[in-house]
Amino acid sequence: MLDCRILERNFQRIATDVIGPKRLEAYAAEVVAHLDADYCYVVQERDEWTATVLFSTASAEPMPAFNPVQLNEMTGESPFFHQQPFVARRALKSLFGTCKQVSGFRLEHYTFKGWILIGWKEPVEHTTFDIENALFRFGDKVLINYLSLQRIALEQQYRFLFSVVPQAIVLINELDDVGWVNQAAIELLNLEPDELRPPAAALSAGMLALRNRTLNKEAIQETAAQLLSNPNFMSKEWIWTFPEQVLSVLTRPIHSPYFKGRIWLFNDVSELYTKTQQLTEANREIENLISVIAHDLKSPLATLSFIFNFLPMHGPLNDEQTDNIEYGQKTIKRGLDLIDSIVYFNKLISSNQPLTMYDVELDDLVDVVVDGFVAQAYQKEITIHRQRTDQPVLLHTDPESLVRVLDNLISNALKFSPFGRQVYVETEWRGPELTIAIRDEGPGISPDDRVKLFRRFQRLSAQPTNNEGSSGLGLSIVKSLTEKMGASVEVDSTLNVGTVFRLVFPAEYVRIGDEEEVSNNRA
């Protein structure tokens, strides 16, 4: 009976004295000597029909892949097999063509599947227990060696990949006692050179020192408090500013079978941040300039309007003069409307003031807006159809903003509708959401126009049908105000059929009111 304690001691000596790929070779030589064998192979199963020899004591040259069907048949339900006499079929002849006795041990691991194979040219008298015991012990060494080499290979890949990434990357496990960093993070956190796995204390000190150098500590502390209270916290646009640079910081948890912890990514956005600040300042100056020009234009336009009104007082005017004055007044009104739109839009986008939100009875508000367009619709022989919900609805909104949005949408529906068509203003439920739809029978919106629909000062291909004016700001105002009210705006359009603009209010802003509530809101 073989003494496996001697084999185990020799294995321990090899683990201490031998490093790298030579270690597997030393383990195999020890097993061959222990079992008086002639051949030893480590075979990896790639798939059901393919296996490759990872290691062989018979030859240093790579051996071709083969079909492992005979090995699977010999293994059966037990991981160990022993055959004497052994007859090698075609697939195994290159390995054991001269062997009369073969033993093997199946390795089953999520990272490695295969066999350890031992062959004898002549039969030996070792018991199957001794052979299985030796192969079992050798199997552990094979798996450990394979995993060790895999780890080394992955670490080398990790070093290479993360060394070329310009962002500083930090990985910290869930216990905060193990960390990994790349070269950029070493420089950013002032860690020991080339120490990709710094001590936890050094890593924590580096992170704390970095945060203490920031200029916006209070803002960072607010976000850090969320991180401490929520293990699943993920940062969005977390900016750390320093005297010499600006960092965008992303952090999120990692939950996988192999690693649980958190990743930090520090991206230098100094140049982008500076350009953004410059563009913001330039835009602010442009908006201020537009506002000043708009206000300054109001005075001469008002003077012209006064002169046109004063002219008939000097005596009767002929038809041509009267038409010219009317045309001049219309032009002045368009200019004043455009100026009002510009001033309002500039105020809208530059102001951070919250809207004044409270419950209003929706049908009454929409009816008032629609009534204001009766005369304009009459001039073009357009009928405005009004559809209400079955029950009175209380909408939590800013009435002034909602009126302005509806004004713009109904005005557009009338402007772009041909004479004699229909316009529909419909309030209806869509599941728990409430929608206000303004539908026309106009020319529709082309695909090219759809992409620029809500941009400022955009002229679309469709034109008003009665020489009405358009500032190019109405839909921009609609989108901005709708989003401020917590709603959204949708557009459905078919060329030569018509367009629907639909305001969608989430369920939390809407409720069905009883008669007393509705009466109070009307009052």
Side-chain angles (χ1 to χ4, degrees):
M1 187 170 180
L2 298 175
D3 188 353
C4 277
R5 291 177 297 179
I6 298 175
L7 179 64
E8 196 60 48
R9 283 199 297 269
N10 291 337
F11 279 167
Q12 292 175 3
R13 174 183 52 78
I14 292 170
T16 304
D17 299 340
V18 184
I19 60 174
K22 290 288 185 182
R23 184 177 291 176
L24 182 59
E25 182 180 335
Y27 286 142
E30 197 63 45
V31 170
V32 167
H34 182 74
L35 296 176
D36 303 315
D38 296 296
Y39 301 106
C40 177
Y41 300 98
V42 177
V43 174
Q44 185 174 20
E45 183 182 39
R46 300 296 184 180
D47 55 48
E48 185 179 358
W49 308 108
T50 310
T52 55
V53 177
L54 295 184
F55 172 79
S56 168
T57 58
S59 172
E61 296 297 323
M63 304 187 72
F66 63 92
N67 191 321
V69 170
Q70 187 177 2
L71 292 178
N72 281 315
E73 290 175 354
M74 290 189 295
T75 303
E77 296 182 359
S78 171
F80 174 75
F81 67 84
H82 179 80
Q83 280 204 0
Q84 178 193 352
F86 173 75
V87 178
R89 299 212 299 258
R90 180 178 177 182
L92 297 183
K93 278 189 176 180
S94 60
L95 276 64
F96 298 116
T98 62
C99 291
K100 297 180 180 178
Q101 179 175 302
V102 170
S103 291
F105 192 86
R106 173 76 170 171
L107 299 177
E108 286 279 359
H109 191 265
Y110 69 89
T111 63
F112 185 93
K113 291 184 178 181
W115 294 268
I116 298 168
L117 304 174
I118 295 287
W120 293 266
K121 293 180 180 179
E122 297 294 335
V124 293
E125 296 182 357
H126 303 315
T127 66
T128 56
F129 174 82
D130 286 339
I131 297 172
E132 182 179 1
N133 195 4
L135 294 187
F136 174 79
R137 294 169 185 269
F138 180 42
D140 282 348
K141 305 304 177 185
V142 170
L143 288 176
I144 291 172
N145 188 73
Y146 180 78
L147 291 173
S148 176
L149 293 177
Q150 269 197 329
R151 185 189 65 79
I152 293 171
L154 287 173
E155 187 166 305
Q156 289 175 344
Q157 293 177 24
Y158 165 81
R159 284 175 177 266
F160 172 74
L161 291 174
F162 286 94
S163 65
V164 298
V165 175
Q167 292 86 1
I169 301 174
V170 177
L171 283 170
I172 303 174
N173 74 344
E174 61 182 347
L175 300 177
D176 290 336
D177 59 359
V178 177
W180 294 264
V181 297
N182 67 344
Q183 189 59 42
I186 289 173
E187 297 171 5
L188 179 67
L189 303 179
N190 197 28
L191 301 172
E192 289 294 324
D194 298 321
E195 183 63 74
L196 298 183
R197 292 187 180 181
L203 185 54
S204 297
M207 296 275 282
L208 181 61
L210 179 68
R211 198 171 78 180
N212 287 339
R213 289 197 294 110
T214 58
L215 302 177
N216 59 332
K217 291 185 181 63
E218 291 185 4
I220 293 173
Q221 188 59 41
E222 290 179 6
T223 305
Q226 299 178 45
L227 173 61
L228 291 174
S229 62
N230 180 11
N232 296 315
F233 173 79
M234 293 187 292
S235 67
K236 294 181 180 178
E237 298 180 358
W238 194 7
I239 299 298
W240 294 20
T241 58
F242 302 84
E244 69 283 0
Q245 68 178 155
V246 179
L247 296 178
S248 172
V249 181
L250 181 146
T251 179
R252 62 181 56 199
I254 298 176
H255 300 290
S256 77
Y258 313 107
F259 182 86
K260 292 184 179 180
R262 180 168 288 275
I263 185 171
W264 293 78
L265 188 146
F266 300 87
N267 190 26
D268 191 334
V269 294
S270 304
E271 184 177 355
L272 178 62
Y273 187 81
T274 301
K275 289 182 177 179
T276 301
Q277 293 292 92
Q278 292 172 347
L279 285 173
T280 301
E281 185 62 31
N283 282 335
R284 189 179 296 113
E285 291 179 3
I286 292 171
E287 301 295 349
N288 290 338
L289 180 61
I290 290 174
S291 294
V292 171
I293 294 173
H295 278 102
D296 288 349
L297 283 174
K298 264 191 168 183
S299 180
L301 288 176
T303 302
L304 283 174
S305 180
F306 174 77
I307 293 173
F308 283 144
N309 288 328
F310 188 72
L311 284 176
M313 299 179 184
H314 288 277
L317 303 176
N318 59 37
D319 291 343
E320 182 180 358
Q321 290 171 330
T322 301
D323 289 343
N324 288 336
I325 289 175
E326 288 180 358
Y327 180 78
Q329 291 285 33
K330 285 183 179 179
T331 304
I332 290 170
K333 185 177 184 307
R334 288 180 187 174
L336 290 173
D337 289 344
L338 175 60
I339 290 169
D340 286 340
S341 295
I342 292 173
V343 172
Y344 181 83
F345 189 79
N346 282 352
K347 179 182 177 182
L348 179 65
I349 63 174
S350 61
S351 173
N352 292 322
Q353 291 293 327
L355 300 181
T356 305
M357 308 275 284
Y358 56 89
D359 288 350
V360 296
E361 205 286 313
L362 182 60
D363 284 335
D364 282 357
L365 183 144
V366 176
D367 287 344
V368 169
V369 177
V370 170
D371 288 344
F373 286 96
V374 170
Q376 184 178 337
Y378 179 79
Q379 291 176 358
K380 297 181 70 173
E381 301 174 4
I382 293 174
T383 303
I384 302 179
H385 300 270
R386 179 78 177 92
Q387 177 182 309
R388 300 169 179 81
T389 55
D390 295 335
Q391 295 174 286
V393 172
L394 293 175
L395 180 64
H396 191 73
T397 189
D398 175 40
E400 182 181 345
S401 297
L402 181 56
V403 166
R404 190 159 196 126
V405 167
L406 294 174
D407 266 339
N408 275 297
L409 293 177
I410 297 174
S411 175
N412 278 353
L414 294 174
K415 282 179 187 177
F416 294 97
S417 291
F419 281 72
R421 298 295 177 86
Q422 315 295 315
V423 168
Y424 302 83
V425 180
E426 302 164 333
T427 307
E428 56 189 2
W429 294 100
R430 188 173 71 180
E433 300 174 328
L434 182 79
T435 69
I436 305 175
I438 293 85
R439 178 161 55 94
D440 64 46
E441 296 177 348
I445 302 170
S446 70
D448 290 339
D449 286 341
R450 287 290 292 267
V451 298
K452 54 186 180 181
L453 196 59
F454 294 105
R455 297 176 186 170
R456 287 186 284 173
F457 303 112
Q458 292 295 322
R459 298 289 184 181
L460 306 183
S461 56
Q463 296 298 317
T465 55
N466 194 28
N467 200 31
E468 297 99 333
S470 176
S471 67
L473 282 171
L475 291 179
S476 300
I477 292 172
V478 165
K479 186 170 179 62
S480 297
L481 283 177
T482 302
E483 291 176 349
K484 278 199 168 190
M485 289 187 290
S488 61
V489 58
E490 299 174 352
V491 184
D492 292 320
S493 186
T494 304
L495 285 176
N496 303 317
V497 174
T499 300
V500 182
F501 282 89
R502 188 175 291 106
L503 306 177
V504 182
F505 294 87
E508 59 264 29
Y509 291 92
V510 187
R511 62 191 177 91
I512 297 173
D514 56 36
E515 292 184 4
E516 182 179 352
E517 283 183 304
V518 172
S519 299
N520 291 337
N521 278 278
R522 286 173 176 169

